[in-house]
Each structure stands twice: as C-alpha cells, then as structure tokens.
C-alpha cells in the first residue's frame, strides 16, 4: 500500500496505474494541500549524457524521448493541480537544446501554463544585481542552487524550479528580492 512503484513513464498501462493512485490520494478533495516533488530523468540534460550521445553516430536529440519526459511530470501536475511543486534536475538542463530550442525555456513555459491558473515560478537562489529596475527579469541561472553555499561540503549544482499555483500566488509577496516569473509570462533569460 505504501510501496514505491517502478513504472515506465509514458507507457499507457503504467499511466493507468499512476492515475489510479492519484485518484486514491485525491479522494474527493483537491490539490490544495499537496506539493508535488520530483523531476524528469536527467540523462538527456546532463553534460555526461550529452557527451556520450555525441559519440553515437546515429544519435539525434530530436528522436530522444528523454528530452520530453518532463511532460509526464506536467501530466501529473495537470491531474493533481497541487498548491505547489518542486522540480529538480541537473545544471545541464539550462544549456540543453533540441532543434535550436532551449529545453529550459520550453520546460518553464510549459510549467507556467499548467491548469486553469498556471504556476508562478520561483527561483530559490536569485543573484542580486544591484539596483532594482521595474523590467528586471529573473535569469535561468537564478534557479541554480549551489550546495556549497548551504553548508554542504561539495560543489554540487542543481536546478530547482518551485512553482506556486497562480490562484494561490496572486497577491502574495513570496519574499523574493526582485519578484518571480508570473504565471502567463513567457519570459526567461
């Protein structure tokens, strides 16, 4: 009943099992008291994975479905409609691209438009830039958490994207020095 399941993302039979578990968890409630934590597999985004793929003569990023497994995470968000989510991945997610499209930009755009209200994306580690300007935007690098800055004796950098559902985030100052990417905004730097 409380076991972990080993399922293949995107497989229709596995999706049915996941959907049934979600329905059981939600019962007749909604996602207001739920936070989803997870992330897509990193092999397509990691520098090591991309380096290995370059050595494969027939490899084409466009044909590698691992680049798009983040859509399974979004499918879960659409079904659960949680109050918030935390997505984690490797730093290489910021530079990974398919057919000239930066994957981080595509992922954040898709995350912002999930569900009826969308999600306000909140960086956990924004870098101060000095004077605050009204049109200042959050940069993709603001989503990098550097473990060594938090007392971890290791230089491990990860991308953390926190999303707060738009209807819950509206009107709240989330304590950020210069705002957050608003649901519906399509701009990331």
């Amino acid at each position: 009943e409380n076991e972990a399941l080993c399922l293949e993302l995107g497989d229709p039979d596995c999706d049915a099992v996941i959907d049934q578990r979600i329905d059981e968890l939600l019962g007749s409630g909604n996602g207001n008291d739920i936070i989803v934590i997870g992330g897509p597999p990193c092999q397509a985004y990691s520098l090591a994975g991309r380096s290995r793929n370059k050595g494969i003569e027939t490899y084409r990023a466009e044909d590698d479905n691992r680049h798009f497994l983040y859509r399974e995470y979004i499918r879960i968000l659409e079904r659960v409609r949680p109050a918030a989510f935390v997505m984690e991945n490797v730093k290489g997610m910021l530079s990974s691209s398919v057919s000239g499209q930066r994957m981080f930009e595509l992922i954040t755009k898709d995350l912002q438009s999930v569900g009826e209200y969308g999600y306000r994306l909140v960086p956990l580690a924004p870098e101060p830039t000095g004077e605050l300007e009204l049109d200042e935007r959050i940069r993709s690098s603001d989503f990098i958490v550097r473990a060594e800055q938090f007392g971890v004796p290791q230089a491990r950098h990860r991308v953390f994207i926190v999303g707060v559902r738009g209807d819950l985030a509206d009107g709240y100052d989330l304590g950020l020095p210069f705002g957050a990417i608003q649901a519906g905004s399509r701009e990331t730097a």
Side-chain angles (χ1 to χ4, degrees):
E1 182 176 319
N2 293 321
E3 78 279 3
L5 300 174
C6 182
L7 302 170
E8 184 176 333
L9 294 173
D11 177 274
D13 293 333
C14 295
D15 288 350
V17 172
I18 293 169
D19 291 346
Q20 179 182 352
R21 291 295 294 270
I22 289 171
D23 292 343
E24 291 168 6
L25 289 170
L26 288 175
S28 61
N30 57 34
N32 285 348
D33 59 354
I34 295 175
I35 297 175
V36 172
I37 301 173
C42 68
Q43 295 91 338
Y45 310 126
S46 75
L47 298 180
R50 291 189 293 183
S51 178
R52 271 192 295 274
N53 291 336
K54 281 186 179 180
I56 301 171
E57 195 172 310
T58 59
Y59 179 80
R60 289 178 22 96
E62 297 82 1
D63 298 332
D64 187 347
N65 72 332
R66 296 174 302 176
H67 284 285
F68 305 100
L69 283 175
Y70 77 90
R71 291 178 179 152
E72 292 300 315
Y73 188 86
I74 287 176
R75 189 182 79 76
I76 301 299
L77 294 177
E78 288 173 339
R79 191 161 181 93
V80 176
R81 296 176 316 279
F85 69 83
V86 179
M87 177 187 273
E88 179 273 341
N89 215 289
V90 295
K91 186 175 160 184
M93 175 187 266
L94 301 179
S95 59
S96 178
S97 63
V98 174
S99 299
Q101 169 73 47
R102 292 274 180 166
M103 290 306 299
F104 186 74
E105 292 173 7
L106 184 60
I107 291 167
T108 54
K109 175 185 170 193
D110 288 350
L111 287 169
Q112 290 174 75
S113 61
V114 171
E116 180 181 353
Y117 302 105
Y119 282 83
R120 184 172 172 183
L121 304 184
V122 183
L124 294 181
E127 294 287 328
T129 60
E131 291 295 315
L132 178 64
E133 296 184 21
L134 293 176
D135 65 347
E136 186 169 8
R137 298 182 329 192
I138 293 175
R139 300 170 307 272
S140 58
S141 61
D142 292 332
F143 291 90
I144 300 172
V145 173
R146 294 164 178 81
E148 67 274 14
Q149 293 177 346
F150 295 92
V152 177
Q154 188 177 56
R156 185 169 294 271
H157 300 173
R158 291 291 182 266
V159 172
F160 281 87
I161 304 170
V162 174
V164 179
R165 203 174 63 217
D167 62 322
L168 300 174
D170 289 344
Y172 286 97
D173 177 4
L174 298 176
L176 299 172
F178 47 88
I181 298 174
Q182 298 291 324
S185 166
R186 298 293 184 241
E187 296 185 285
T188 56

